[in-house]
Amino acid sequence: MKRNDFTEFFKAQMNEGDHIGRVTRLTHGLYTVVDDEQERNGEVSGRFHHTVEVDKDYPAVGDWVVFEPYDAGARAKIHRVLGRQTVLSRKKAGGSHQEQIIAANVGTVFIVTALTQEFNLRRIERYVQQIYESGASPVIVLTKRDLCDTVPDHIAKVESVAPGVPVYAVDSLTGTGMKELVTELRVGDTISLVGSSGVGKSTLINYLLGMEKQATQGVREEDQRGRHTTTHRELFELPNGTYIIDTPGMRELQLWGGDEEGVGQTFSDIDRLSASCKFRDCKHEREPGCAVQQAIDEGELDAARLKSYNKLKRELKRLELKDRYGTHRTNRMLHGPNAIK
């Protein structure tokens, strides 16, 4: 693997004599590390394992790591993870409040969704929000365009909830729309794919690779839900020098952190309208002179968009309080007799 993605940001973290490689695959705590010479399977060192404090500190696909070759150079023992330039993460599944890293050091994220029953504007909003928070740039890829008779209408709907985000409708089997999409592939950039199972992420990667590398399956006819084909995260190098990460399907993206700036980027249309509200602290409910409500009344803004905006802000506020005060105290603060309004 060429190091055209090993930038000055990472070089500044090296010490003399360090063996540097990139994590290209992670499955059940076993890693694949690639450098200029070869691909090695390996694991973290005992010292690393005993000093790590939280799961997110373990290596993730896309990470650059310092490792020690052993077993005649065939295996890798990981000693250190270089600081990450970007981190795409979500709340770990289950009741615990833990961060799960989806991919590290990603410049662009392709949000992949099918033009079938799976199409969901609210889910797209959540993906866009989390990608902005990661420091990466979102691109929306609408797959299975051959199954949709209203492609332009669907593109317009997506553009209305993701202002300024590039949107492409493609058919990965015939190549329709792919010529436009490949303009997003830049040498040295790392792209991560996110989306539900069955939307065509693996088929898309196979097309871009020019070979059948990833296993693919169809969707269940009764509900159009996808079957899990990708069960681990893996990084591939495309022929043009772009790197791309395939990820297991996610029907739900539970947010992990965020701030007003990220919400402002995701909902830039509401942010723009808010600047014209009569009151600076307008809640966009029944206040006189509310430009947002006026836009809804005039059909310029969908009421569901504002509802989603408010829901997202509430979720992010709850996450902020949990980080600061813990789950029990946060519940009292939000639902007790003196709850925060």
Side-chain angles (χ1 to χ4, degrees), residues 196-240:
S196 304
S197 299
V199 297
K201 298 191 301 298
S202 296
T203 304
L204 177 61
I205 281 187
N206 287 339
Y207 182 94
L208 295 175
L209 284 169
M211 65 179 76
E212 293 294 316
K213 186 77 173 178
Q214 292 294 78
T216 60
Q217 282 186 344
V219 297
R220 297 191 296 262
E221 290 185 8
E222 63 270 20
D223 60 4
Q224 291 294 301
R225 293 287 181 91
R227 303 177 179 91
H228 289 280
T229 51
T230 301
T231 57
H232 59 272
R233 296 175 179 83
E234 187 165 2
L235 181 148
F236 302 95
E237 183 178 1
L238 300 182
N240 77 321

Side-chain angles (χ1 to χ4, degrees), residues 22-67:
R22 197 169 193 196
V23 177
T24 61
R25 182 182 171 110
L26 167 59
T27 176
H28 306 302
L30 300 176
Y31 302 88
T32 300
V33 180
V34 177
D35 63 5
D36 291 335
E37 300 172 356
Q38 68 184 79
E39 177 179 290
R40 298 175 174 89
N41 293 326
E43 62 286 317
V44 299
S45 68
R47 182 176 181 182
F48 187 111
H49 181 73
H50 285 102
T51 57
V52 72
E53 295 183 356
V54 289
D55 287 352
K56 71 180 182 67
D57 292 335
Y58 279 96
V61 172
D63 269 327
W64 288 97
V65 296
V66 176
F67 72 95

Side-chain angles (χ1 to χ4, degrees), residues 41 74 142 173 290 297 303 315 327 329:
N41 293 326
L142 307 176
L173 296 176
C290 175
D297 292 341
E315 284 188 54
T327 302
R329 187 174 174 188

Side-chain angles (χ1 to χ4, degrees), residues 3 5-15 18-23 48 56-60 62-67 78-87 104-105:
R3 285 198 185 180
D5 54 341
F6 192 66
T7 63
E8 292 298 327
F9 174 85
F10 302 110
K11 291 177 183 176
Q13 302 178 56
M14 288 181 61
N15 298 319
D18 279 348
H19 285 273
I20 301 291
R22 197 169 193 196
V23 177
F48 187 111
K56 71 180 182 67
D57 292 335
Y58 279 96
D63 269 327
W64 288 97
V65 296
V66 176
F67 72 95
I78 298 171
H79 293 290
R80 181 163 64 95
V81 177
L82 298 189
R84 295 160 174 155
Q85 203 157 26
T86 62
V87 180
N105 301 314

Side-chain angles (χ1 to χ4, degrees), residues 236-256:
F236 302 95
E237 183 178 1
L238 300 182
N240 77 321
T242 303
Y243 303 93
I244 196 160
I245 299 174
D246 196 6
T247 61
M250 296 180 290
R251 281 212 73 77
E252 300 239 358
L253 179 66
Q254 297 191 64
L255 300 180
W256 179 266

